[in-house]
Amino acid sequence: MTDPAAPVLTIDGPSGAGKGTVSRIAASRLGWHYLDSGALYRAVGVAASWANLDLSDGAALVRCTFDTAIGFREQPEGDLRVIVNDVDATDELRLETTGAVASAIAAIPEVRAALKDRQRAFRQPPGLVADGRDMGTVIFPDAPFKVFLTASAEERAERRYKQLKDKGVSVTIDGLLREILARDARDAQRTVAPLRPADDAVLIDTTGLSIDAVVDRVLALVR
Ligand code: DC
């Protein structure tokens, strides 16, 4: 059962603004639950790829959203694994190509509607940190704490480059910058739940800030 009384801290923003890292640390410090809403869109994207669905077939993608079982499994060392239809899809989920598919699927209003209740179900005591694009505007509009993280596109591309290089993935900064700008444009321009800060969100530009500094600012809002 969802508990509407449980407090929610929403952390929205474009890809690479540091939402994932900041949200996970904030959730762990507060002892609250954590919702990675992007992982739900990515999970549907992975399931759609496995089923060889045509990304222009909206009806098939909506059916796929309803039919896809998505589970989160926390590992003892804190790592979060994402299970799609009983298969651990965590590594595939994190690929740039999956992000691009997720962003395309996320523009379909019925897909967003189909994922609404699954996201709201994460609102449980003692509280929830919800990471995404529309957490403060659409999914938890009554959240008492809302943050919108940004960073320059160049810095976001550089952060992503470092992450991927550490994982041994070969990419170029220029290529990543182009992908980030294209994804920003698609996420911000879609007609349903476009990426934008909630009117009552606190904006934090993370360009040049350390993760710890961002986490401190975010937690200062809650404490
Ligand atoms: O945060 P992420 O990179 O894992 O998200 C992948 C895509 O999913 C992103 O490009 C847009 C979409 N998304 C969304 O539309 N709404 C959300 N709340 C989270 C993600």
Side-chain angles (χ1 to χ4, degrees), residues 37-38 41-42 103 106 112 132-135 183 187 190:
S37 63
Y41 291 94
R42 286 173 182 263
S103 159
R112 305 198 71 83
R133 305 288 191 291
D134 62 342
M135 298 296 99
R183 190 127 71 94
D187 292 345
R190 65 179 177 227

Side-chain angles (χ1 to χ4, degrees), residues 14-16 96 151-162 164 171-186:
S15 49
E96 293 302 298
S152 70
E154 289 72 18
E155 175 142 338
R156 289 186 283 131
E158 230 161 86
R159 288 178 187 168
R160 200 81 191 105
Y161 178 73
K162 283 198 194 120
L164 292 172
V171 281
T172 66
I173 292 200
D174 279 356
L176 284 173
L177 182 58
R178 269 196 303 277
E179 277 172 29
I180 280 182
L181 291 173
R183 190 127 71 94
D184 280 359
R186 198 167 38 218

Side-chain angles (χ1 to χ4, degrees), residues 11-16 19-20 35-42 93-94 98-107 112 119 131-135 139 160 183-184 186-187 190 192-195:
I11 303 188
D12 289 307
S15 49
K19 284 175 302 168
L35 165 63
D36 174 0
S37 63
L40 297 177
Y41 291 94
R42 286 173 182 263
L93 222 71
R94 292 294 145 219
T98 304
V101 172
S103 159
I105 288 178
R112 305 198 71 83
Q119 295 174 82
D131 150 4
R133 305 288 191 291
D134 62 342
M135 298 296 99
I139 305 297
R160 200 81 191 105
R183 190 127 71 94
D184 280 359
R186 198 167 38 218
D187 292 345
R190 65 179 177 227
V192 41
L195 174 68

Side-chain angles (χ1 to χ4, degrees), residues 192-205:
V192 41
L195 174 68
R196 67 164 180 85
D199 293 338
D200 50 350
V202 173
L203 263 66
I204 302 177
D205 184 344

Side-chain angles (χ1 to χ4, degrees), residues 3-18:
D3 181 353
V8 183
L9 162 64
T10 61
I11 303 188
D12 289 307
S15 49

Side-chain angles (χ1 to χ4, degrees), residues 59-92:
L61 293 170
V62 174
R63 267 199 308 280
C64 175
T65 308
F66 281 112
D67 291 346
T68 303
I70 308 165
F72 294 89
R73 194 176 296 154
E74 190 153 353
Q75 300 297 99
E77 69 278 15
D79 195 17
L80 196 66
R81 309 297 297 180
V82 186
I83 316 298
V84 180
N85 293 337
D86 292 329
V87 177
D88 186 331
T90 315
D91 296 335
E92 196 173 340

